[in-house]
Amino acid sequence: MATAAEWIEGARPRTLPNAIAPVLAGTGAAASIDGAVWWKALLALLVSLALIVGVNYANDYSDGIRGTDDERVGPLRLVGSKLASPSAVRTAAVVSLAVGAVAGLVLAATTAWWLVLLGALCLAGAWFYTGGSKPYGYSGFGEIAVFVFFGLIAVLGTQFVQAERVDWVGLLLAIGVGAFSSAVLVANNLRDIPTDTESGKVTLAVKLGDARTRTLHLVLLAVPFVISLALIARTPLAPAGLLAIPLAVRANAPVRTGKGGLELIPALRDSGLALLAWSALSALAVGFG
């Protein structure tokens, strides 16, 4: 029987910056066009947090019943370590996704009903990442999905539900957040190349191989800082995002120095922290600059 602490660890708290950052960026983008609505921003944050926790539990369940997590070198997995039954973890996933769905329905009801369709797409994306008979996360599409769902959709969706329109600033911030979020997954999948190869999980890292995956991580971390310079067209404060560069350099350090296994865990943590810092700084710059 898993303890409360193990359930919290199973929710993968290191991934929470991927949920918080797009809401910060989207709210900053909304504020830049005088459209910020704080209660909607809080509801968007609830949606984002509930979805990422639901995704994490759903992945734990699906990977666990397939045996993908039987030989892990990373953080705790509830089903794979047999600390919780598959049905209990599946229920946790469903409850988390349901919370996100309810909060999303409130936003849709007060903004535009077509957002319900977008929400349904997000729920399907969450479940079928590793669930179903042909999970797309096992075919190398995980990073693309993260870029779309936790970058483009999350940032632009947050801007839209508040300002009821999106603009080029929101799009650039969405690309930056998506690149950072994908970098987190790239670091994770780089660590898991040996075990994923053995279990038949064909991630993008498995397809690219070790060396090219390390290069991809660096490229993804660089993209947001190019965007910070492009955002000078909106505000001279936009280079504030460059203050997150030291965190990005630290995040890439284990990757560029050839570390593997558990030694890559700091790369996940620091990629997430760089994402959070860049999003907060950029949101403040464009929203209040």
Side-chain angles (χ1 to χ4, degrees):
M1 179 68 70
T3 65
E6 288 166 340
W7 275 104
I8 292 172
E9 187 176 354
R12 308 183 196 182
R14 288 187 182 88
T15 65
L16 294 185
N18 295 64
I20 299 169
V23 178
L24 291 175
T27 299
S32 75
I33 52 177
D34 299 320
V37 180
W38 299 108
W39 69 267
K40 286 190 173 184
L42 291 174
L43 264 184
L45 179 60
L46 177 59
V47 171
S48 192
L49 287 169
L51 285 181
I52 202 163
V53 171
V55 166
N56 290 339
Y57 281 138
N59 292 349
D60 192 308
Y61 164 75
S62 296
D63 283 344
I65 61 174
R66 283 189 171 90
T68 308
D69 286 342
D70 287 351
E71 301 293 335
R72 282 193 57 80
V73 295
L76 173 75
R77 295 295 180 261
L78 294 164
V79 176
S81 60
K82 297 180 172 54
L83 287 170
S85 68
S87 62
V89 177
R90 182 182 59 203
T91 298
V94 170
V95 169
S96 298
L97 295 175
V99 169
V102 170
L105 284 173
V106 175
L107 285 173
T110 55
T111 308
W113 275 107
W114 60 262
L115 290 172
V116 174
L117 299 177
L118 189 61
L121 176 64
C122 291
L123 290 174
W127 186 260
F128 291 109
Y129 173 55
T130 56
S133 59
K134 293 183 178 180
Y136 63 86
Y138 280 50
S139 300
F141 296 107
E143 285 79 2
I144 294 173
V146 165
F147 181 85
V148 171
F149 288 115
F150 286 99
L152 300 182
I153 291 178
V155 175
L156 293 175
T158 298
Q159 183 183 24
F160 182 82
V161 296
Q162 295 180 63
E164 299 194 12
R165 67 185 179 95
V166 298
D167 70 346
W168 67 271
V169 171
L171 178 60
L172 286 185
L173 290 173
I175 292 170
V177 170
F180 262 130
S181 293
S182 296
V184 176
L185 184 58
V186 165
N188 179 81
N189 289 343
L190 172 65
R191 181 199 66 204
D192 291 341
I193 285 177
T195 54
D196 285 344
T197 301
E198 185 176 341
S199 66
K201 184 176 182 180
V202 186
T203 63
L204 181 60
V206 170
K207 288 185 174 183
L208 292 177
D210 186 275
R212 285 188 291 180
T213 299
R214 293 178 190 272
T215 300
L216 177 61
H217 186 259
L218 177 61
V219 171
L220 289 170
L221 289 179
V223 167
F225 300 110
V226 176
I227 287 172
S228 290
L229 298 177
L231 286 171
I232 293 174
R234 170 57 60 88
T235 172
L237 297 181
L242 301 179
L243 294 174
I245 286 178
L247 283 171
V249 171
R250 190 173 75 178
N252 186 246
V255 177
R256 69 174 178 270
T257 54
K259 296 293 192 297
L262 292 173
E263 292 179 311
L264 281 170
I265 291 178
L268 278 74
R269 177 199 65 209
D270 293 336
S271 295
L273 291 176
L275 159 64
L276 195 57
W278 181 85
S279 299
L281 291 165
S282 299
L284 288 170
V286 301
F288 304 102

